[in-house]
Structure formats: C-alpha cells, structure tokens
Amino acid sequence: MSNKTTAIGHSNIAFIKYWGNRDAKLRIPLNDSISMNLDALTTTTTVAFDDALDQDIVQLDDQPADEKTAARVREHLTRVRALAHIETRARVASRNNFPAAAGLASSASAFAALSVAAARAAGLDLSERELSILARQGSGSAARSIPGGFVEWLAAKDVNYTSEQSYARTLMPPDAWALTDVIALVSPDAKKVGSTEGHAAAPSSPFLAERLARLPMRYHHVRRQTLAKNLTRLGPDLEAEAIELHMLAMTSQPPIFYWAPGTVRVLDAVRAWRAEGLEAYYTLDAGPNVHILVAQQDAAELARRVRALEGVQDVLTSGPGGAARVSEDHLF
Ligand code: DP6
C-alpha cells in the first residue's frame, strides 16, 4: 500500500491545564495552556487508505478498538478525508509503549500520531500549525503533542473565533532543559470519568469563572519561569494549578473525584521530601497518578523513594520529548 504512513506522538504533561471548552465540538479551549512533551511515553500509529475497504478498521494494541474509541478515530479520519477531498476508508493500527491499563492512556499522543500519519497517508502536506489544529479536534491536549519540547496552546481570543486561531507552538526545544517527570502509578484502573465529560462539566463549578479571571497572571508566570528554566519559581504554580483542576472537578455537578488513596500519599511524601531538601513538585491530570517534576540529577533518587511508597504500583521516568514525527517502523 503506497500511502501507508506511520507516525510517533509523545504524551504531554500540562503545567497550565486545559479544563473546559469554549466550543466543545471544535475543542476550542476556554484558556491557553502550557505543557512538556514526554520523551518516554509514545503512541505509534500506522494508517493506510485503501479503496478495497468499505469501512474504517481500527486496531489498538493488536485488538479491535472498542466501539467508542473506534467511533472517535473514524470521526478524525473523516476530518482528514474532508481536507484531502477523498472518501476512501482506512486501516489504522496503534500501539502505546506504556501499559494501557496504567491509567495513563493518552489521547494526546494517540491523536497527535493519528493526525500526522493520516494526513500524510491522505496525501496532505500540512504545516505544524495545521497539524496542531487538526489534532486538537480529535483531543484537545493532542494539539500540544504536535510541536516538540515545552509547548503553549493558544485559545482563540476573538469574539468571532475560528478554528484556525487555536493551535500549539514550541516555547522551548526539548534539549533546552533536562527537567524530568517521575510518574507514580497509583491505580491500575482506567479512569472512570473521561476528560471530555470533565470539560463539559467544568462550567457547573461555581469556581470556574474565578479561575478564568485569575489564570492569565499564573499563565504569564509559568511561561516566564519555564523559559527561565527555574524549577524553584515554577514549582509552586505547578502544584497550585493541579489542585485547582481537581477542585474544579470535585465541585462540578455531578462531582468528579479522580484521586485514589495512593494519590494523597504521594502528594504528602513529595511535600515532606521537599522540606528535607529534595526539590520536586507534583502535578496531576484527570486521573489518580501523580507526575513529579524534578531536576534530572535528582530523578533517580526521587524514583527510588516513590517506588517504596505504599500504594505505588509502578514508576515511569521521562525527560522532555520531541515533536510528533513520521517513522518507517510500520505496525502492519
Ligand atoms: C486534565 O485533551 O484529554 O489532562 O479534548 O476531551 O480529549 P479531550 O480532553 P483531553 O483533556 C486533558 C485534560 C487534562 C489537562 C491538560 O492536559 O491540559
């Protein structure tokens, strides 16, 4: 199959969170966000459009995808078909290099890889910005996994916003700062409430408006301290942002609780170790696992301590990752 294309996308961890959409269908967020791509956490996806197919075929980790996931992938393929003015159905195979059951199942790396592979397989030659806009519509945080390194994703600001206004761009390349993410896996369960439902529920929290009013100041500070590579000044805002995300979720209607008992144990431990001089700061996505940001030279010691905590099932370590890219290692 001549159009067969494979791409690799990295997961990312947000410093400033995406929580709530201005336009849920287009996934245009309520606020700008900042993240770091994760070198060690990838999705590899192969796409081939084939005239012989009468429907899209979607495989994840060598199994047929569940219906909900398959439908979301088909919708994304249809966006690509519309851009390429084709009707052809595709075969898609995708694999994560981290355990799917770890609760890290990453729609960011998945939709970044799918966007790069499907666009090229369909004969499109999209710019990084166009790929980010495309990936965003599959999963918001995937917009940030298209460019490399430390990334910011801009919300559309105009009253008459358009989809083209919301895309991600590199703030700083991955090799600019050897910041390390030590990920404590505290629950093997797939998360109960997906981010998409979380975004939809966000406006029901009485605190969302207050957050959005205050966020530009925190954003500015996080952006500046990221560029300054100053973990000491960045860290407290990373933690405040994570707590705020979960506070919003817990105060939504209906409330969403992502934390597990192990989550609280890890947060307590990080605070205690920091008081003793091991400088590390936590953040969390919409799930129970804890991401701990630390200087590269402290990562091994931190990982050793995290592994010994009760309730921690596994620990992954990652430095900053590059952009989503084409690969020659096809999955079929
Ligand atoms: C808490 O990008 O997973 O991780 O657009 O519905 O796929 P969808 O949501 P998603 O939301 C990510 C939410 C978050 C914060 C973040 O990564 O910014």
Side-chain angles (χ1 to χ4, degrees):
M1 183 57 49
S2 62
N3 70 44
K4 188 197 285 182
T5 308
T6 298
I8 299 175
H10 294 275
S11 179
N12 68 69
I13 179 65
F15 296 176
I16 295 286
K17 308 294 181 182
Y18 152 48
W19 201 242
N21 278 307
R22 179 170 175 184
D23 184 319
K25 192 168 175 323
L26 286 172
R27 292 188 154 82
I28 294 178
L30 285 169
N31 60 273
D32 300 341
S33 55
I34 293 178
S35 60
M36 173 180 118
N37 280 359
L38 298 175
D39 187 48
L41 275 67
T42 61
T43 302
T44 302
T45 301
T46 300
V47 178
F49 288 92
D50 185 344
D51 287 321
L53 295 173
D54 57 7
Q55 58 176 347
D56 296 316
I57 299 173
V58 184
Q59 285 215 313
L60 298 184
D61 295 319
D62 299 321
Q63 305 288 329
D66 63 86
E67 188 37 45
K68 200 173 162 196
T69 306
R72 202 164 160 184
V73 171
R74 279 199 301 270
E75 245 178 77
H76 205 58
L77 291 169
T78 296
R79 290 184 188 104
V80 174
R81 281 189 278 263
L83 289 172
H85 307 290
I86 60 170
E87 302 270 319
T88 320
R89 306 290 131 169
R91 175 186 298 275
V92 175
S94 191
R95 194 174 287 160
N96 291 324
N97 77 338
F98 47 94
L104 287 171
S106 173
S107 57
S109 51
F111 279 92
L114 178 64
S115 298
V116 170
R120 173 162 318 196
L124 294 165
D125 183 18
L126 301 184
S127 66
E128 181 182 276
R129 184 191 294 201
E130 289 167 327
L131 283 168
S132 179
I133 291 164
L134 172 63
R136 189 202 75 219
Q137 295 169 70
S139 173
S141 56
R144 294 190 312 240
S145 284
I146 293 290
F150 300 82
V151 169
E152 73 178 337
W153 169 23
L154 306 169
K157 301 266 176 0
D158 290 6
V159 183
N160 300 311
Y161 64 85
T162 64
S163 181
E164 282 61 46
Q165 290 166 351
S166 182
Y167 60 92
R169 62 185 179 199
T170 294
L171 281 175
M172 199 163 67
D175 55 5
W177 190 16
L179 187 64
T180 302
D181 184 7
V182 172
I183 309 167
L185 301 175
V186 299
S187 169
D189 308 333
K191 68 183 166 201
K192 296 176 200 80
V193 183
S195 320
T196 306
E197 289 99 301
H199 295 297
S204 67
S205 167
F207 304 110
L208 180 66
E210 183 69 20
R211 162 176 171 75
L212 294 174
R214 287 167 181 259
L215 195 56
M217 234 160 62
R218 180 182 288 157
Y219 189 89
H220 181 70
H221 190 252
V222 165
R223 190 179 192 277
R224 202 150 40 105
Q225 300 309 337
T226 300
L227 288 167
K229 303 172 225 170
N230 190 331
L231 182 60
T232 308
R233 294 223 170 126
L234 175 64
D237 270 337
L238 290 184
E239 296 194 344
E241 180 64 4
I243 300 303
E244 195 164 301
L245 164 71
H246 286 267
M247 182 272 297
L248 283 177
M250 290 177 198
T251 54
S252 293
Q253 283 309 324
I256 310 170
F257 295 92
Y258 287 112
W259 292 10
T263 310
V264 181
R265 276 194 209 103
V266 177
L267 301 190
D268 282 347
V270 171
R271 282 187 288 255
W273 295 331
R274 194 163 63 232
E276 296 163 5
L278 176 61
E279 188 171 25
Y281 300 89
Y282 57 74
T283 183
L284 305 106
D285 276 344
N289 299 315
V290 185
H291 294 249
I292 312 166
L293 280 307
V294 68
Q296 188 181 32
Q297 67 267 22
D298 294 333
E301 168 64 14
L302 178 70
R304 192 186 62 74
R305 292 192 193 184
V306 173
R307 216 176 279 280
L309 290 175
E310 188 189 341
V312 172
Q313 286 156 9
D314 203 357
V315 175
L316 304 177
T317 298
S318 180
R325 63 186 185 278
V326 169
S327 156
E328 294 306 319
D329 295 325
H330 303 302
L331 296 182
F332 61 85

